[in-house]
Amino acid sequence: MRRLASVDVGSPQPSGATSPWPVSDGVAPTAGAERTAAAEAARLWHITLSVAGEEAPLREVRRSLEQLAHDHPFLLTSRYAHDHAEIRYWEEARDLHDAAAVALRLWGEHRSSASLPPWEIVGLEVVGRETYHQRVAEGYGPAPATPVGVHPF
């Protein structure tokens, strides 16, 4: 089962918290080693997946995207039109390759369970958490007030 850590993944634990890392030979890793191991184990990636294809009724597209959001609870925002959609969400993965591989499977794996249109993936953007926040701060990313959920373009 996948889980999504907070956007502040890798932050130090409060004092008195128990370490999630196993103790080897009776010695626990240092705090720096814990943060390094956590950072290498999983990082957050912001995914934008674009799909397009033959026109479909808007009501069905919306219902399908709402079902996808229910099936894949990490979805933040979906925008849609008759012939295309864009899905934005956070993915937890070891590296960009893993995050991209999971993102590229998302549409196909949920096509039947969410009754998604038979559209193909036409775009994929995967950026690290730091890059995403830098873009937003510089005014190049999605507006921070972008509502979460499924919305028409």
Side-chain angles (χ1 to χ4, degrees):
M1 175 170 199
R2 294 178 33 222
R3 68 175 180 78
L4 181 65
S6 75
V7 176
D8 294 325
V9 73
S11 60
Q13 292 181 339
S15 97
T18 59
S19 172
W21 304 103
V23 175
S24 173
D25 298 329
V27 179
T30 65
E34 285 183 23
R35 280 192 289 277
T36 301
E40 289 176 4
R43 294 168 43 198
L44 287 177
W45 301 89
H46 188 264
I47 308 290
T48 304
L49 183 69
S50 300
V51 295
E54 298 281 326
E55 284 195 11
L58 278 180
R59 180 170 286 181
E60 289 179 25
V61 173
R62 179 180 182 91
R63 193 213 50 75
S64 295
L65 290 172
E66 287 172 344
Q67 182 63 46
L68 178 62
H70 176 74
D71 293 348
H72 193 298
F74 304 122
L75 292 181
L76 294 176
T77 302
S78 295
R79 299 186 308 162
Y80 63 94
H82 287 285
D83 60 352
H84 66 283
E86 177 185 88
I87 301 164
R88 294 176 180 257
Y89 66 99
W90 289 99
E91 183 67 60
E92 186 176 24
R94 181 178 50 89
D95 59 22
L96 183 137
H97 292 110
D98 289 349
V102 171
L104 289 170
R105 290 192 312 264
L106 177 73
W107 192 260
E109 287 180 353
H110 292 275
R111 183 170 282 148
S112 63
S113 66
S115 299
L116 296 168
W119 296 343
E120 66 178 334
I121 296 172
V122 296
L124 173 66
E125 180 184 55
V126 181
V127 297
R129 181 173 57 102
E130 296 79 18
T131 301
Y132 172 82
H133 287 298
Q134 180 181 5
R135 284 183 178 179
V136 170
E138 294 174 353
Y140 296 110
T146 301
V148 172
V150 178
H151 307 282
F153 271 106

